[in-house]
Amino acid sequence: MLAMLGSGFLVSLQIFFLTLLGSLPLGLVVAFGRMSTFKPLSLLVQFYISIMRGTPLMLQLMVVYYVPYFGFGVSMGDGYRFTATIIAFIINYSAYFAEIYRSGIQSIPRGQYEASGVLGYSQAQTFFIVIFPQVVKRILPPVTNEVITLVKDTSLSFVLSVPEMFTTARAIAAAQKAMTSFVVAGVFYYLFNLVVAAAMNLFEKKMSYYHE
């Protein structure tokens, strides 16, 4: 049982890390679109964010998986299940991260942009050298909450029969007619959350060089 759950846990880890790898940078791009002075783009991005945040992730998983077939008549095969899971998780979490980025960026006093311009920094240099480190410091608590939520949300991929830990635990429970596998899976999730929380807390301490 432990070997099977361990195999499922590795799939959960893949979903977790690939989601962060895609959604964190994409969220920054979405945030820029949300703050754009070009109104059509800003409104389009706001609509995207409202859809992603206003509908269940489980539904989004099903839409991403079934649209190629029911929308375009294209059969993607069983291998697409994992790909669809990653796509759905990335576009969902990028919307949440975008709002976190936006709130952090807009919390920085405008005077810092003006001072950086006086010192000869370009807009890109101002953002990445002066503004972004402060934004990271400010948004770490809400980002940590989202990352911890992601650990638990990986279990939603069971809806596409991706063999992650919860899907595996459910199959074992059905075969053994016992709840032991769910208990063990729960311990796995809990310990993983502890590790993630500790890592984020360590990162937050590393960023404590900056004082408001």
Side-chain angles (χ1 to χ4, degrees):
M1 180 180 69
L2 286 177
M4 293 177 65
L5 287 174
S7 176
F9 181 63
L10 290 178
V11 176
S12 296
L13 282 178
Q14 291 177 26
I15 297 171
F16 175 80
F17 285 112
L18 288 174
T19 298
L20 289 183
L21 187 64
S23 61
L24 285 171
L26 180 59
L28 188 58
V29 174
V30 175
F32 286 143
R34 172 74 171 80
M35 296 183 294
S36 173
T37 55
F38 183 56
K39 203 65 177 176
L41 175 60
S42 178
L43 290 173
L44 180 62
V45 173
Q46 286 182 52
F47 179 69
Y48 159 74
I49 292 174
S50 73
I51 291 294
M52 291 298 105
R53 298 175 70 191
T55 58
L57 176 55
M58 186 180 294
L59 176 62
Q60 294 166 24
L61 284 161
M62 296 175 70
V63 168
V64 172
Y65 180 71
Y66 288 111
V67 157
Y69 181 76
F70 290 107
F72 304 99
V74 178
S75 179
M76 303 296 288
D78 284 342
Y80 181 60
R81 294 180 188 275
F82 183 79
T83 303
T85 297
I86 300 303
I87 292 172
F89 269 84
I90 287 176
I91 62 175
N92 176 274
Y93 271 83
S94 64
Y96 286 92
F97 286 135
E99 286 297 274
I100 293 172
Y101 284 133
R102 181 181 65 84
S103 65
I105 293 170
Q106 292 180 337
S107 71
I108 305 297
R110 191 66 197 173
Q112 295 200 28
Y113 292 90
E114 297 168 355
S116 298
V118 171
L119 292 173
Y121 288 127
S122 67
Q123 288 186 342
Q125 288 175 322
T126 296
F127 181 77
F128 287 106
I129 296 175
V130 179
I131 304 300
F132 193 64
Q134 299 179 58
V135 169
V136 171
K137 173 72 164 56
R138 296 185 182 201
I139 67 175
L140 272 177
V143 166
T144 298
N145 289 337
E146 289 301 323
V147 172
I148 289 174
T149 299
L150 173 59
V151 172
K152 295 175 287 187
D153 277 354
T154 57
S155 63
L156 293 176
S157 56
F158 84 90
V159 74
L160 298 185
S161 299
V162 174
E164 47 73 55
M165 189 164 54
F166 179 76
T167 305
T168 304
R170 191 176 61 161
I172 294 173
Q176 297 182 346
K177 295 182 174 57
M179 296 289 291
T180 307
S181 60
F182 285 125
V183 174
V184 176
V187 172
F188 268 95
Y189 283 118
Y190 177 68
L191 292 177
F192 187 30
N193 262 326
L194 286 181
V195 172
V196 169
M200 296 298 289
N201 185 54
L202 179 62
F203 184 52
E204 190 170 352
K205 288 181 179 178
K206 292 288 187 182
M207 294 294 293
S208 64
Y209 68 87
Y210 170 74
H211 299 284
E212 303 284 345

